[in-house]
Amino acid sequence: MDSLELSTSLSVDKAEKKNQSIRVRLGRLRDSVCESGIFVLTASSAIIIVFIFIFILIKSWNIFAVNGINFVLKSGFDQQIIEAYHAPADKPVWHFGALGLLLGSGLTTVGALLLAIPLGIGTAIVITELSPRWMKGLLQSFIRLLASIPSVIYGLVALLVVVPFIQDNFITSELQLQYIKQFQLTGNSLLAGIAVLSIMITPVIVALSVDAINAVPHRYKEASLALGLSHWRTIVKVIVPSAKSGITAGIILGTGRAIGEALALSMVSGGIGNIPNPADGGVFFLTPILTLASAIINKSESMSVPSINAALFACGVLLLVTCTTLSLFTKIVERSIRRREGLE
Amino acid sequence: MVYSNSGSIIISVKELNAWYGEKKALSNINIDIKKNSITAFIGPSGCGKTTLLRCLNRMNDLVDGFRLTGDILLDGESILSKNRDVIELRRKVGMVFQQPNPFPKTIFENMALPVKENFGNVRREKLEEIIETNLKAASLYEEVEDRLDSSALRLSGGQQQRLCIARALTINPEVILFDEPCSALDPISTMKIEDMLMELKQKYTIVIVTHNLHQASRIADEVAMFYEGQIVEQASTDVFFSNPKTQLAQDYISSKFS
Amino acid sequence: MVKKMLTIIMIAVMALSLITSVSAASITVKVDGKTIALDVAPVIESGRTLVPIRAIAEALGADVQWDDATKTATVTTVDKEVSVTVNKSSASVNGEAKTLDVAAKIIGGRTMLPLRFVGEALGAKVDYIDATKTVTVDYFTDMSGTIKITGSTSVQPIFQSAADKLMAMNKGLSVTVAGGGSSVGLKDVASGSSNIGGYSTELSSSDRTTYPDVVDTKIAMDGIAIITHPSNPVSNLTKQQIFDIYTGKITNWKDVGGEDAAIFVQQREATSGTNKAFKELLLDSIDKTKKATVVSTATPHASSGLILQAVASNKNAIGYESFGYLNSTVKTPTIEGVSATKANALSGKFPIVRPLNVLTKGSPSGLNARFINYILSPEGQKIVNDLGYVPLKIKE
Ligand SMILES: Nc1ncnc2c1ncn2[C@@H]1O[C@H](COP(=O)(O)OP(=O)(O)OP(=O)(O)O)[C@@H](O)[C@H]1O
Ligand SMILES: [Mg+2]
């Protein structure tokens, strides 16, 4: 009796086991199909990116072959475009120098980051730590909205508000006369570019910082408060540092948007690739400038001329290289942060 | 000498009632905590031990909808009064949580942060000295001596908890509150922490929440048993375990010891 | 006595005409499917419809001239010239004598021409539908074949719009429009590799001698106005002053009679047609070496709207703008005392204008001529106007 029960239960067990092993194997199969699917997708998008890069490189190759390193060391892009455009077809102009554009992109981006990082993190702190619960949701959806507004809207608003503001408040007619032989002080300037960019990227930084701060475990906050730190010191010393990698991601995303922004900047930054001179003092910020991305947009009408076409693709190469470097750099920074925190 | 010291009362809870929103968590709590002693809070899950503990350094201020009536005196002064400086209170009444919660920083930074924040910029040698002393007091020093600059999150659970204790000691509190400090630890780590607590009692007043009655009987001087938001029995450890007065305590002890 | 006699005769003539010509108030005339509004109703005489021709001819892109001395009406398109004299049965088409079965008449003081004859002489298909009492004239809806167009990029948009409209109306018509620049248009037409060439300026006399059989026909004018902020006190500029401002020689409004303030030169991007036209019409007309370039501090703008906005919002800015985009947000100072109006552009008085021409090998004829006539028709001239150019035929 006993042994019988035992044996039946054993056989049931066996059947069950068989079933189970089939299920396990099916599950494994499904997993491996999913995995290979994801692998194919990832690989193909990587291949597409590589192809884009190669395509742009080929398109611009002649520029680098002719100009070499001078492409990033010499300036005068605007005039070179005009010369190239009017050059007879049998004597094309291949000499270009994009230093002004490179500096334009660099200065607007750095300037915007200097404003947007403190503003963005500060706003994120206000939203997560200092506002009552009902306001949090409201503020957060407002920030998301701001982050999703197309850049042309920002450009338009900046053109109608920021540019006249700069003109009315920072520029005198004497100053305009003093500089008219070098450039036009009209409000369309590095400063306007920085302003519009910082307004554009702040919501991005805020949105990601809010998520990062919300993800900081509550126990860190409690530990800090229990150690006699004030709420404010807890934010500064524990919460924000613990959210570092998320905040960094926000900053990087913002930087990417800033470097790649073309439309809004081409509307307010002046449209000429001047190199701001620190010796000019405050006028440094009032100098009209042109960025790599804006140049591609503004000059794209001349793309029918082969040398201009190549020069604009070369600007694209510079943009791509900058962005790639940036994201590699981010990966390194992020990894080192995580390593120091002991998360890896 | 030690005995007479432990006679004086440092914390005195009077007629305390507490609510989370509509839900009452503590009712009519009266308890005195003696200086340089270990007081253990015991009782079944959900009976309000943590709630009371967190009232003692006002950590419950963080909880939305929490409110209380009654009073808590620290050295004869109310800690609940409007103009009481909470930060100063928390410096006097430190806390070690059930889950080890080191910051995601290096061991050194974990220790240095509260020192710098509470005592301003101390000299490097002084800082190192404070850190060393407190790590030793938490009997962690030998284990981490040569890796102070690696992340605290890489320590084992027991080591992390001792680090949190050491960190709590850096600010020189009068009272340290422990909320089930050993619940996540193995017997050896537990023993180490128990030894350490016995050691710390010389300098600090200790309040500990524990589910482990063996632990309570081993280390506590006083025991308070909670049930459904009330203290049903409170006595010195010897008396409590040898001669519990209430049926609830008797049942709880026998079920837990059997 | 004599007066009375005359009156009687007049009445008799009128009565007679009333008998012979059946009043046809209900007859409608449709050109290319559209009903033409006529100020005098058509009449049918001996089975022929007589109409006041002007409105109908113009719809076909033709001009109508009336010679009161000889009582002759002449209807001209780029390929046809039809003359009809009142009460005469002979007419001429491109100089060739033709016989009319019903002569033109003056009825009630208005000259009435035989519609079928004139229409068919111009090349249109004319039909009478008795049931609806409708005369249909098919001209731009009666096109088939292929036209190849190259040349000036300034004229290209006009060609393109016209081609799109015509191809939508004619299944058998295929028009290809490409750019290449005016000189390409000239060479292509001369060599016969395209049927029509776009040419955005006057044919030079040397070009005329090199390509003697190429004929140019003006279809529109392109005028460029100088624009400033409405508050700018400068009301007139000379061409030389504009040249000096745009080449950076003059940088202060004071030097051209304005306030003591910097001049902010605005221009279009290098590729813009307006930019090119400005250089050719103004800079190159002063500096004949054609080497003059716009000062490098000038702010380039990507569109007509943006340069307008830039000038409208900066009280010391100067810019240039195609006539079609001008509005009241900016001021247009006179140039050499001539104000920037379409009439002045048409008459050639305004200094920064150029004709937009079409080139054909020999006088335009056949399908080419009809394409050009379309551009000269009210519909075509509306395209010209909508694209920002100055139409040749302005409706007052
Ligand atoms: N933040 C909170 N919000 C609402 N109710 C809470 C909150 N924290 C605790 N409570 C409730 O208050 C009562 C007491 O909880 P408390 O955490 O003090 O119990 P405890 O004795 O520490 O239990 P354990 O031994 O399980 O830790 C419980 O019923 C619990 O559900
Ligand atoms: Mg608890």
Side-chain angles (χ1 to χ4, degrees):
Chain A
M1 195 59 185
D2 243 323
S3 68
L4 192 76
E5 236 176 20
L6 199 72
S7 73
T8 43
S9 83
L10 261 178
S11 69
V12 166
D13 238 38
K14 260 185 192 160
E16 181 74 342
K17 267 209 182 116
K18 208 172 180 185
N19 254 339
Q20 231 167 23
S21 79
I22 288 174
R23 239 180 282 143
V24 166
R25 253 183 263 157
L26 268 179
R28 278 203 200 121
L29 188 70
R30 195 187 49 212
D31 284 357
S32 72
V33 166
C34 278
E35 259 169 42
S36 47
I38 289 170
F39 174 79
V40 168
L41 286 179
T42 320
S44 52
S45 62
I47 288 170
I48 289 172
I49 290 171
V50 168
F51 267 110
I52 290 175
F53 202 90
I54 292 174
F55 175 79
I56 295 180
L57 210 58
I58 290 172
K59 281 285 202 176
S60 63
W61 187 247
N62 221 358
I63 291 291
F64 293 109
V66 171
N67 298 279
I69 190 74
N70 276 341
F71 184 66
V72 293
L73 294 183
K74 289 234 162 89
S75 56
F77 199 77
D78 310 78
Q79 291 304 311
Q80 289 149 359
I81 290 269
I82 294 174
E83 278 163 33
Y85 188 73
H86 292 294
D90 51 338
K91 278 188 226 141
V93 171
W94 280 95
H95 287 278
F96 292 95
L99 176 64
L101 312 187
L102 207 58
L103 283 176
S105 288
L107 287 172
T108 44
T109 304
V110 170
L113 284 175
L114 288 180
L115 290 180
I117 291 175
L119 193 64
I121 297 178
T123 311
I125 289 171
V126 168
I127 292 177
T128 51
E129 290 290 324
L130 305 176
S131 27
R133 186 171 305 204
W134 61 270
M135 225 163 89
K136 273 182 202 179
L138 223 65
L139 285 175
Q140 234 170 314
S141 33
F142 178 65
I143 291 293
R144 295 236 168 83
L145 183 78
L146 285 183
S148 65
I149 289 178
S151 55
V152 63
I153 304 289
Y154 283 109
L156 213 58
V157 172
L159 184 63
L160 299 177
V161 179
V162 178
V163 170
F165 179 85
I166 293 174
Q167 192 180 9
D168 295 346
N169 292 281
F170 302 122
I171 299 173
T172 63
S173 120
E174 290 75 48
L175 204 62
Q176 289 178 331
L177 274 174
Q178 188 188 333
Y179 279 94
I180 188 65
K181 295 268 180 193
Q182 295 166 53
F183 42 74
Q184 303 180 351
L185 294 177
T186 58
N188 290 81
S189 56
L190 173 60
L191 183 60
I194 290 177
V196 67
L197 271 194
S198 58
I199 294 168
M200 275 174 59
I201 66 175
T202 300
V204 177
I205 297 180
V206 173
L208 270 87
S209 300
V210 164
D211 289 345
I213 291 175
N214 280 336
V216 172
H218 191 62
R219 57 175 195 277
Y220 294 165
K221 184 177 176 182
E222 287 197 327
S224 171
L225 290 173
L227 286 167
L229 273 71
S230 65
H231 189 190
W232 180 243
R233 296 303 295 173
T234 299
I235 290 169
V236 173
K237 283 290 176 180
V238 175
I239 295 179
V240 170
S242 304
K244 221 165 10 187
S245 65
I247 293 175
T248 318
I251 292 172
I252 297 308
L253 213 66
T255 312
R257 189 168 182 191
I259 289 186
E261 179 50 43
L263 214 54
L265 276 180
S266 82
M267 290 167 89
V268 303
S269 71
I272 298 186
N274 294 307
I275 297 179
N277 182 359
D280 287 339
V283 173
F284 179 86
F285 289 103
L286 301 175
T287 311
I289 52 122
L290 183 64
T291 67
L292 287 167
S294 303
I296 294 177
I297 279 216
N298 289 4
K299 312 295 181 194
S300 61
E301 275 181 291
S302 329
M303 297 256 285
S304 57
V305 178
S307 68
I308 296 179
N309 189 305
L312 295 184
F313 272 106
C315 290
V317 169
L318 294 189
L319 268 180
L320 260 178
V321 168
T322 326
C323 288
T324 316
T325 318
L326 198 75
S327 73
L328 278 181
F329 178 71
T330 321
K331 272 269 151 0
I332 293 166
V333 168
E334 211 171 315
R335 182 154 302 172
S336 83
I337 289 175
R338 292 173 71 84
R339 197 157 279 162
R340 279 191 45 201
E341 287 176 356
L343 295 174
E344 242 171 46
Chain B
M1 182 68 190
V2 170
Y3 184 74
S4 74
N5 231 354
S6 68
S8 63
I9 287 163
I10 184 162
I11 292 178
S12 176
V13 179
K14 297 190 184 308
E15 296 292 323
L16 195 75
N17 293 282
W19 294 264
Y20 292 105
E22 291 301 303
K23 188 186 177 341
K24 189 155 192 180
L26 293 174
S27 36
N28 213 9
I29 302 288
N30 285 288
I31 186 172
D32 288 340
I33 289 167
K34 295 191 187 106
K35 211 169 186 161
N36 294 92
S37 69
I38 299 182
T39 304
F41 291 176
I42 61 170
S45 186
C47 63
K49 307 176 295 286
T50 300
T51 305
L52 178 59
L53 197 71
R54 287 167 61 96
C55 286
L56 301 181
N57 67 347
R58 287 184 54 183
M59 280 309 275
N60 276 331
D61 288 11
L62 295 183
V63 178
D64 273 345
F66 182 81
R67 71 200 158 85
L68 43 69
T69 62
D71 206 355
I72 301 171
L73 306 180
L74 174 69
D75 289 328
E77 273 177 69
S78 171
I79 65 164
L80 300 179
S81 65
K82 278 253 155 56
N83 46 11
R84 178 80 196 207
D85 182 353
V86 187
I87 290 163
E88 186 243 26
L89 166 71
R90 288 180 188 150
R91 277 175 198 170
K92 283 189 182 160
V93 184
M95 187 166 205
V96 174
F97 297 79
Q98 181 171 1
Q99 290 290 327
N101 55 4
F103 301 128
K105 298 171 186 282
T106 65
I107 297 169
F108 187 89
E109 285 166 342
N110 263 281
M111 296 295 288
L113 179 68
V115 179
K116 287 182 188 159
E117 289 296 316
N118 285 290
F119 307 116
N121 266 329
V122 291
R123 277 182 300 111
R124 179 82 188 182
E125 304 93 75
K126 177 76 180 155
L127 182 64
E128 280 169 2
E129 188 195 314
I130 295 173
I131 290 173
E132 190 182 325
T133 321
N134 289 306
L135 283 173
K136 276 180 177 157
S139 57
L140 183 63
Y141 187 69
E142 284 82 44
E143 289 161 66
V144 299
E145 195 177 7
D146 49 356
R147 50 167 173 154
L148 287 176
D149 283 328
S150 72
S151 171
L153 299 188
R154 291 225 192 95
L155 296 172
S156 76
Q159 289 171 326
Q160 288 189 10
Q161 193 60 299
R162 276 179 282 148
L163 176 64
C164 292
I165 294 170
R167 190 176 63 182
L169 299 179
T170 56
I171 60 171
N172 259 329
E174 294 173 19
V175 182
I176 308 180
L177 312 172
F178 290 86
D179 191 353
E180 299 182 46
C182 304
S183 66
L185 305 184
D186 67 289
I188 298 182
S189 301
T190 304
M191 288 306 288
K192 276 190 178 165
I193 288 182
E194 282 181 16
D195 291 347
M196 188 193 72
L197 291 177
M198 297 299 282
E199 200 64 33
L200 290 176
K201 172 170 103 161
Q202 309 300 321
K203 262 181 85 185
Y204 309 94
T205 304
I206 291 170
V207 182
I208 180 169
V209 172
T210 179
H211 280 287
N212 184 337
L213 295 187
H214 290 290
Q215 186 173 56
S217 67
R218 275 197 300 270
I219 62 172
D221 300 307
E222 302 279 329
V223 174
M225 178 169 160
F226 287 66
Y227 189 76
E228 292 187 344
Q230 288 175 307
I231 296 182
V232 289
E233 185 156 344
Q234 99 189 69
S236 72
T237 309
D238 298 342
V239 173
F240 182 84
F241 283 106
S242 59
N243 191 10
K245 285 194 200 70
T246 59
Q247 190 61 43
L248 274 167
Q250 281 167 24
D251 292 351
Y252 189 63
I253 294 167
S254 58
S255 70
K256 284 279 172 170
F257 272 95
S258 63
Chain C
M1 200 48 186
V2 177
K3 256 188 187 169
K4 243 183 194 169
M5 281 289 285
L6 273 174
T7 322
I8 291 166
I9 291 169
M10 281 279 278
I11 291 169
V13 168
M14 278 172 73
L16 203 73
S17 66
L18 271 177
I19 294 158
T20 51
S21 53
V22 179
S23 173
S26 54
I27 287 183
T28 45
V29 179
K30 282 190 172 177
V31 175
D32 293 326
K34 285 189 209 92
T35 304
I36 303 291
L38 299 172
D39 46 358
V40 177
V43 296
I44 294 180
E45 186 163 312
S46 313
R48 294 286 180 226
T49 312
L50 296 184
V51 293
I53 203 70
R54 186 173 293 273
I56 296 162
E58 280 173 355
L60 304 180
D63 278 325
V64 181
Q65 240 111 47
W66 171 247
D67 185 344
D68 205 39
T70 59
K71 298 272 181 274
T72 302
T74 307
V75 179
T76 334
T77 62
V78 292
D79 56 335
K80 294 281 163 37
E81 190 184 272
V82 182
S83 295
V84 179
T85 307
V86 172
N87 292 336
K88 273 199 181 154
S89 61
S90 69
S92 92
V93 175
N94 283 4
E96 218 176 293
K98 295 270 157 122
T99 315
L100 291 173
D101 38 11
V102 175
K105 278 211 163 72
I106 293 181
I107 300 173
R110 289 298 303 263
T111 311
M112 305 290 272
L113 266 55
L115 176 55
R116 180 178 291 273
F117 174 78
V118 177
E120 285 179 351
L122 291 175
K125 208 167 84 194
V126 183
D127 275 315
Y128 181 70
I129 303 167
D130 201 29
T132 55
K133 292 212 182 328
T134 306
V135 185
T136 59
V137 180
D138 288 318
Y139 191 57
F140 299 126
T141 48
D142 183 32
M143 296 169 75
S144 65
T146 58
I147 307 176
K148 194 177 167 228
I149 305 178
T150 55
S152 162
T153 49
S154 308
V155 196
Q156 197 179 349
I158 300 179
F159 288 149
Q160 193 62 62
S161 297
D164 290 346
K165 289 242 165 80
L166 286 174
M167 284 192 285
M169 294 191 281
N170 297 281
K171 279 227 171 80
L173 180 69
S174 149
V175 186
T176 57
V177 183
S182 291
S183 50
V184 170
L186 176 59
K187 281 184 202 127
D188 284 354
V189 167
S191 71
S193 69
S194 53
N195 309 103
I196 293 178
Y199 207 76
S200 62
T201 182
E202 209 81 64
L203 261 188
S204 69
S205 50
S206 68
D207 281 338
R208 282 186 203 282
T209 43
T210 319
Y211 305 103
D213 51 352
V214 171
V215 175
D216 57 324
T217 309
K218 190 154 71 169
I219 53 165
M221 300 290 284
D222 184 12
I224 294 174
I226 293 297
I227 53 176
T228 57
H229 194 265
S231 72
N232 194 319
V234 176
S235 57
N236 180 57
L237 289 167
T238 64
K239 280 175 82 174
Q240 184 66 47
Q241 282 173 330
I242 298 169
F243 180 88
D244 289 345
I245 288 172
Y246 265 88
T247 51
K249 214 187 275 169
I250 295 179
T251 55
N252 193 326
W253 281 110
K254 189 177 63 177
D255 299 334
V256 292
E259 284 164 5
D260 183 14
I263 302 178
F264 295 130
V265 177
Q266 314 291 311
Q267 66 167 336
R268 294 286 306 280
E269 290 284 358
T271 40
S272 123
T274 320
N275 177 61
K276 202 154 163 261
F278 178 78
K279 177 172 156 52
E280 287 167 8
L281 294 176
L282 196 119
L283 300 188
D284 293 352
S285 78
I286 303 272
D287 178 1
K288 303 280 194 235
T289 67
K290 302 192 175 180
K291 293 237 168 68
T293 54
V294 172
V295 60
S296 68
T297 57
T299 305
H301 295 276
S303 76
S304 299
L306 284 174
I307 194 170
L308 199 72
Q309 201 278 335
V311 173
S313 64
N314 185 331
K315 72 182 197 333
N316 295 321
I318 188 169
Y320 53 72
E321 188 70 276
S322 220
F323 272 37
Y325 288 96
L326 295 177
N327 66 18
S328 61
T329 62
V330 293
K331 176 177 175 177
T332 50
T334 56
I335 298 171
E336 308 281 358
V338 181
S339 55
T341 63
K342 287 193 173 181
N344 282 339
L346 263 187
S347 70
K349 262 196 273 173
F350 190 74
I352 320 179
V353 295
R354 58 176 174 176
L356 300 181
N357 287 316
V358 294
L359 305 180
T360 45
K361 196 166 191 178
S363 290
S365 61
L367 196 57
N368 298 343
R370 199 165 299 188
F371 185 80
I372 298 169
N373 282 332
Y374 178 73
I375 295 176
L376 292 170
S377 75
E379 246 179 78
Q381 292 290 293
K382 186 172 176 305
I383 292 175
V384 166
N385 195 44
D386 291 348
L387 287 171
Y389 299 113
V390 183
L392 297 179
K393 301 175 180 177
I394 299 177
K395 282 217 183 88
E396 259 82 345

